[in-house]
Amino acid sequence: MSLRHLYPITIAFWTLLLAGSGRAGPLSPAPAADNAAPASLEEALRQALSHNRALQAAYEAYQAAVARIPQAAALPNPRVSFDHFLKQIHMGDGPLENQMMLSQTLPWFGKLRLQESIASEEAQALLHEYEALRLALVRDVSVAYFQYAYLGKEHELTRRNLDLLDQLAPVTETRVRGGAPLSGLLRLEVETGRNRDLLATLERDRSRQSAELRRLLNILPDGRDLPFDSLPPLPTTDLREETLRAAVLAGNPAIRALSARGRSAAQRERLSRLQPIPDPAINATWMHLGEGASDAYALGISFEIPLWTKKYRAQRQEARRDAAALGALQEDQRFEVLAELEIILESLREAAAREVLYRERLLPAARQSLEISETEYRGGKLPLTDIIESERTLVELERVYWNAVAQIHIQLVRLDTLGANLP
């Protein structure tokens, strides 16, 4: 099955362009936002991605996790101790006056590598969580932007209908003065009043949606509504449904974050199996002997005694339970993603079918019907009610059509930010 009329700008492209690739690391959001209204969706995304504080916090958490990786791979600090004997201890060659010891613990083979790997997987999980937050922001901004653009189209259609009714008013008044029924003029006044009320409602909706879009873009209110932008055209592109399931399962950042945490838990379990093995410490000792005797030196090795084995068993149990919990969460997330994919595809199929039906059949017929009605009305062959009804029908059909266009854009954004990475 192929879906037509796909979104012309791949959202993933913009998120990579504006925020950097996952392998190279994201770009740090800028600390301050301007208050200018965006001129396009691309500019709106740039504004949102650059100035969102939650996104900046997630980025900083990821960078902190990256900084923990070399810490996990580093050897423990060496220890040095110095002793001065207040009461001399007599040795065979002379009194022992001072002693200094240097000690370096060497973690058992594989421990440092596992610690580094655990820290790296935790950083990867935070990176994927950052990407999930970034894609959610892209989705919310894009959906709000398309909804606002559709509201602008509704506003335009209602204003156009009002203009037509205003043009009909002088003709209708002239006909009433010439003896035509008053009902036509009354019907015109009712229809004009209904459209003015609808326009006022759309203005209130515009203020609310403008405020929500400003919130997403971190633009301070200034008492003015954001300008409307037009809905972009829908190019014809094929997308094969059978590839989407694998794409979203491989590309969804929430699944990838849980997968990274699962690998981290598995490595913690392997590390817990090495914990009972004591880490050797290499010791070098220097002893200063008085009365002209030669100094003494010693090399040694020491171990911790893993006497309290109960805690090591608890560590292994903890790691196994964490891995099991994360595996269950990953399966649940996979189910949620696939369920959301089905909902998006069904909505997309419905909107795409409606867009084709209205664009190819219903709208051309309604426009032709209105043209005929206007001609016959001006020639006195049709009553005013017929032209009012024809215009109302056309406006309603155009509203449905543009709503379908907006829904296609919205569902494609949802699909792309789910992890599909549309071409």
Side-chain angles (χ1 to χ4, degrees):
M1 196 279 292
S2 64
L3 299 174
R4 303 175 65 243
H5 310 300
L6 296 187
Y7 182 40
I9 300 173
T10 301
I11 294 298
F13 167 77
W14 283 103
T15 56
L16 291 176
L17 177 64
L18 302 177
S21 67
R23 186 176 298 273
L27 299 179
S28 177
D34 56 54
N35 207 41
S40 62
L41 175 58
E42 293 79 13
E43 189 174 327
L45 290 174
R46 187 183 300 276
Q47 176 88 0
L49 291 171
S50 299
H51 304 109
N52 185 272
R53 295 297 179 259
L55 195 62
Q56 184 177 12
Y59 169 78
E60 296 298 340
Y62 160 69
Q63 289 287 33
V66 170
R68 285 193 288 271
I69 296 175
Q71 300 177 51
L75 287 171
N77 287 328
R79 297 180 61 85
V80 62
S81 63
F82 180 82
D83 299 319
H84 174 72
F85 296 93
L86 299 179
K87 184 178 181 180
Q88 293 181 347
I89 299 175
H90 289 276
M91 308 289 288
D93 293 336
L96 178 60
E97 296 181 349
N98 303 298
Q99 177 177 280
M100 184 173 67
M101 183 171 66
L102 179 65
S103 177
Q104 173 65 63
T105 301
L106 300 175
W108 193 255
F109 301 105
K111 286 186 177 180
L112 286 181
R113 179 183 57 79
L114 283 172
Q115 289 175 185
E116 181 182 23
S117 182
I118 290 168
S120 178
E121 293 294 352
E122 291 296 327
Q124 281 296 310
L126 287 173
L127 174 60
H128 294 316
E129 289 172 1
Y130 169 89
E131 291 172 344
L133 185 62
R134 186 178 63 189
L135 287 178
L137 180 60
V138 169
R139 180 198 62 213
D140 293 345
V141 170
S142 300
V143 168
Y145 193 91
F146 288 132
Q147 288 175 339
Y148 195 65
Y150 169 67
L151 181 65
K153 181 59 69 173
E154 277 196 298
H155 191 279
E156 175 189 329
L157 293 173
T158 304
R159 173 61 66 185
R160 189 193 72 189
N161 200 19
L162 267 175
D163 291 342
L164 176 62
L165 294 173
D166 289 340
Q167 291 174 13
L168 292 173
V171 179
T172 305
E173 291 172 355
T174 301
R175 290 188 176 184
V176 169
R177 285 195 296 268
L182 183 61
S183 59
L185 182 59
L186 294 176
R187 176 67 181 274
L188 181 63
E189 290 178 354
V190 169
E191 192 67 18
T192 301
R194 188 184 71 85
N195 277 270
R196 292 194 188 282
D197 179 65
L198 177 58
L199 190 63
T201 300
L202 293 174
E203 287 291 346
R204 290 190 292 270
D205 290 343
R206 178 182 185 178
S207 296
R208 286 191 293 268
Q209 292 189 26
S210 176
E212 173 63 15
L213 196 52
R214 282 180 178 273
R215 182 187 68 81
L216 291 171
L217 300 180
N218 284 289
I219 298 178
L220 295 175
D222 59 2
R224 295 178 296 176
D225 294 330
L226 294 175
F228 289 128
D229 194 8
S230 59
L231 286 166
L234 295 172
T236 300
T237 308
D238 287 334
L239 181 67
R240 303 198 175 277
E241 184 180 352
E242 57 268 18
T243 64
L244 289 176
R245 184 182 296 264
V248 298
L249 290 179
N252 183 265
I255 293 177
R256 298 177 71 183
L258 289 170
S259 178
R261 292 197 184 280
R263 292 192 299 270
S264 174
Q267 289 163 351
R268 286 202 308 273
E269 183 181 359
R270 288 196 288 272
L271 180 61
S272 70
R273 297 182 182 278
L274 297 178
Q275 292 293 24
I277 302 175
D279 299 329
I282 306 300
N283 307 315
T285 305
W286 167 70
M287 291 175 287
H288 174 62
L289 303 178
E291 297 182 356
S294 299
D295 293 345
Y297 302 91
L299 286 176
I301 187 171
S302 61
F303 296 90
E304 291 182 350
I305 301 176
L307 185 60
W308 317 115
T309 58
K310 186 176 181 180
K311 70 176 183 179
Y312 300 119
R313 290 196 297 270
Q315 286 177 356
R316 288 195 294 272
Q317 182 74 359
E318 176 189 4
R320 281 196 296 268
R321 295 296 184 181
D322 281 346
L326 288 165
L329 287 174
Q330 188 175 358
E331 286 302 312
D332 182 69
Q333 185 64 36
R334 287 165 61 92
F335 174 80
E336 291 293 330
V337 165
L338 291 177
E340 186 174 354
L341 174 63
E342 291 301 319
I343 294 172
I344 292 172
L345 289 178
E346 185 57 36
S347 300
L348 191 53
R349 282 189 286 262
E350 179 182 357
R354 183 176 292 117
E355 189 273 338
V356 172
L357 173 65
Y358 278 67
R359 174 172 50 84
E360 294 184 354
R361 295 180 54 189
L362 300 184
L363 282 176
R367 292 190 183 104
Q368 185 178 9
S369 175
L370 178 61
E371 290 175 2
I372 295 173
S373 297
E374 288 178 348
T375 302
E376 293 183 350
Y377 172 74
R378 296 184 186 280
K381 298 180 181 180
L382 280 181
L384 177 65
T385 54
D386 285 8
I387 193 171
I388 291 176
E389 189 61 33
S390 295
E391 175 64 19
R392 178 190 290 180
T393 299
L394 177 59
V395 169
E396 290 303 320
L397 290 176
E398 287 188 324
R399 283 199 181 101
V400 175
Y401 169 76
W402 286 110
N403 182 64
V405 171
Q407 284 303 313
I408 291 173
H409 285 302
I410 288 171
Q411 299 309 322
L412 287 170
V413 166
R414 291 180 60 199
L415 182 60
D416 204 24
T417 54
L418 193 63
N421 292 324
L422 298 180

